[in-house]
């Protein structure tokens, strides 16, 4: 059996009792370590599990899935995923390969950012589709996120933006030369996300949002030191929310007074918060 | 400290290691038992926790919150919620009351239906706002769900529908007479949901969906015996998916071929599945 085990969001103790049982009895334990991260190192996991954990990078999962699945027809293999196995990335290729090999697959659910974002006080019912934001480069500024936000905004909904993670990436030069040298990991910040959003609005000018649109910058959601900052996109362009992971919620115009009561305590600046609320959200109440 | 502890979706072992630690050391442990249910009884929880659990019904949470919070300024009180504390219902009133009393509040996240629904094979990125469906009565058929689905459909997104639960409800007669006699619990089925959806479409005639629109009926998501049935709404009007809880996903037209590959194995009828897919979804690929 291949078990996809959700680890939750913060540390080693966010695994479920059921997930821990699977990990303890599995033949081998892999940790998927390129689409998200916990706030603790592999050593903490190994210490709770009382056994070694094999870190699986993108290359291993994409090119050596048969190695991961070896023996899974007879024994249990645990594949650990930060958050929920279905959260932001589904490991469809691994699952499909397992099915080809007639290996049964089971998932152990856990919290994901998609529901933990409720800690902002925003109602999960008021969110539209979730959107990804990738790091822009000088020549590559994918703006499809803008259309997705426009769609959500057109029906008044909030948009949760999940921010890019670059782990074990090669520079173009190293890739060209076949050198297995990797760049240091990079995690997009709320600040970078807000800047990229305004850059694309400036370019497209469809007024999907503006410098004074309200958003909530979120850091380390689900951890003890989670942090929220509610401000205008312009304010969030200059905010430092500390260590990763970050995400951002752009408020939809249908935001409710009850949500306001909850999020105003995260306001970066009460005055601009009230102004923007009144301008964009106050009219539907 | 007031701890809102997510229990996950299926049984007592879906609690996280962190959540279990909180429960074991808390002064009192309450189980919120009216917005969702686990598939095991209170005895299973008590046996894992090695301590008693107090069942908190709606009346207790809404009218006696100070009783729940008593002593939480000095000791830890655990308030257990099926799924994630922020999942479908936020216990905002209890949290706000705790804050008024200067009692700190912490949440222990867990899986919710909002991410576990990914087990259908549908991409969580392709879901719009989540919608609730309540039991119709002869004179009360709230149809706001129809407008929400219309909004999601207008941008091609899937809609997750959470189905009504009636626990410890009084009949009008018993309520009028002040008798604390309760009706047996009722959990809406996929069948009832599909019927109510078609009833409202028939009435409104805006063609948000039709008898041959594809949907996935979902039962006991997250449990070992979870079950999915993909069919037209008309087919789902006659499907028995067994014990609760049920939910339903109406497919958005932007559904992708990769999603099709995954969900077709749940097809009630391969022929009608292919026909409806071609009619409503095949054109965008």
């Amino acid at each position: 059996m291949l078990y996809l085990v959700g680890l939750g969001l913060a540390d080693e103790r966010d695994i479920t009792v059921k997930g821990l049982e699977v990990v303890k009895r599995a033949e081998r334990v892999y940790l998927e370590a390129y689409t998200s991260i916990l706030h603790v190192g592999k050593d903490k996991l190994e210490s709770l599990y009382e056994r070694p954990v094999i870190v699986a990078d993108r290359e291993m999962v994409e090119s050596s899935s048969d190695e991961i699945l070896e023996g899974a027809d007879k024994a249990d293999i645990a594949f650990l995923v930060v958050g929920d196995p279905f959260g932001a990335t589904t490991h469809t290729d691994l699952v499909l390969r397992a099915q080809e090999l007639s290996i049964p697959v089971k998932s152990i659910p856990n919290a994901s950012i998609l529901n933990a974002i409720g800690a902002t006080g925003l109602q999960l019912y008021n969110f539209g589709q979730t959107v990804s934001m990738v790091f822009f480069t000088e020549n590559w500024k994918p703006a499809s996120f803008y259309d997705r936000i426009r769609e959500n905004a057109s029906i008044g909904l909030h948009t949760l933006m999940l921010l890019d993670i670059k782990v074990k990436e090669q520079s173009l030069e190293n890739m060209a030369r076949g050198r297995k040298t990797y760049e240091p990991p990079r995690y997009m910040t709320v600040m970078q996300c807000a800047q990229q959003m305004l850059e694309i609005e400036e370019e497209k000018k469809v007024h999907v949002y503006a410098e004074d649109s309200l958003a909530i910058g979120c850091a380390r959601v689900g951890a003890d030191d989670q942090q929220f900052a509610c401000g205008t996109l312009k304010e969030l362009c200059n905010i430092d929310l500390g260590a990763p992971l970050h995400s951002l919620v752009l408020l939809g115009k249908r935001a409710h007074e009850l949500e306001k009561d909850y999020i105003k305590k995260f306001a970066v600046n009460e005055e601009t918060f009230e102004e923007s609320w009144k301008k964009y959200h106050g009219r539907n109440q």
Side-chain angles (χ1 to χ4, degrees), chain A:
Chain A
M1 177 88 81
L2 170 68
Y3 281 95
L4 303 180
V5 181
L7 293 187
L9 296 165
D11 63 42
E12 73 281 9
R13 294 178 307 127
D14 285 329
I15 194 170
T16 65
V17 170
K18 198 180 277 174
L20 186 58
E21 286 169 7
V22 168
V23 166
K24 292 216 176 221
R25 71 160 188 263
E27 182 91 5
R28 293 189 307 283
V29 179
Y30 294 91
L31 171 65
E32 187 272 84
Y34 57 94
T35 65
S36 190
I37 51 160
L38 286 181
H39 305 153
V40 294
K42 186 179 80 138
D43 55 317
K44 293 278 186 191
L45 274 64
E46 291 180 324
S47 148
L48 177 69
Y49 306 162
E50 298 172 322
R51 55 179 306 166
V53 167
I54 305 160
V55 172
D57 58 20
R58 188 185 298 272
E59 198 185 329
M60 181 190 254
V61 177
E62 290 179 358
S63 318
S64 314
S65 56
D66 282 9
E67 194 181 302
I68 294 172
L69 294 171
E70 201 190 324
D73 50 335
K74 296 187 198 79
D76 289 340
I77 305 295
F79 187 79
L80 312 183
V81 180
V82 174
D84 181 76
F86 299 109
T89 312
T90 62
H91 293 279
T92 314
D93 288 348
L94 188 65
V95 170
L96 290 176
R97 182 65 188 143
Q99 288 170 347
E100 277 171 25
L101 299 170
S102 303
I103 294 167
V105 180
K106 196 175 272 189
S107 290
I108 310 283
N110 208 320
S112 93
I113 183 73
L114 301 190
N115 48 292
I117 198 68
T120 52
L122 298 175
Q123 296 287 325
L124 295 177
Y125 281 95
N126 291 340
F127 280 77
Q129 60 197 315
T130 303
V131 167
S132 290
M133 173 69 96
V134 300
F135 280 113
F136 287 178
T137 65
E138 205 173 325
N139 306 310
W140 193 62
K141 303 188 177 189
S144 64
F145 75 86
Y146 187 79
D147 299 316
R148 301 286 90 76
I149 295 178
R150 182 175 46 73
E151 291 170 342
N152 287 343
S154 74
I155 53 178
L157 298 176
H158 308 315
T159 302
L160 168 63
M161 308 196 62
L162 303 179
L163 311 189
D164 203 3
I165 290 178
K166 294 276 186 210
V167 181
K168 237 184 152 182
E169 298 275 325
Q170 287 175 287
S171 66
L172 283 176
E173 195 193 332
N174 282 327
M175 207 184 290
R177 297 182 182 225
R179 284 194 297 232
K180 299 241 166 183
T181 307
Y182 302 100
E183 303 300 301
R186 291 192 299 152
Y187 307 97
M188 189 185 287
T189 62
V190 163
M191 202 186 302
Q192 290 166 318
C193 175
Q195 287 165 356
Q196 293 191 173
M197 286 173 74
L198 290 180
E199 185 178 340
I200 296 298
E201 177 59 63
E202 176 65 24
E203 189 187 304
K204 301 247 182 190
K205 292 189 170 53
V206 187
H207 307 292
V208 170
Y209 47 81
E211 283 192 348
D212 60 353
S213 295
L214 285 177
I216 306 183
C218 312
R220 302 172 300 285
V221 175
D224 277 349
D225 64 342
Q226 74 183 2
Q227 202 181 332
F228 301 113
C230 181
T232 65
L233 282 176
K234 193 172 179 190
E235 285 165 349
L236 296 186
C237 283
N238 292 298
I239 202 150
D240 180 3
L241 292 176
L245 298 177
H246 290 191
S247 47
L248 183 144
V249 181
L250 182 68
L251 260 62
K253 68 175 186 300
R254 208 195 279 166
H256 194 274
E257 285 293 332
L258 287 174
E259 294 177 294
K260 182 191 175 194
D261 288 346
Y262 212 100
I263 63 175
K264 70 182 174 197
K265 62 172 176 280
F266 306 128
V268 173
N269 177 318
E270 269 184 49
E271 203 173 316
T272 54
F273 174 81
E274 290 293 342
E275 270 170 30
S276 286
W277 182 273
K278 202 168 156 194
K279 184 169 171 187
Y280 295 112
H281 310 279
R283 283 169 294 189
N284 310 299
Q285 310 305 326

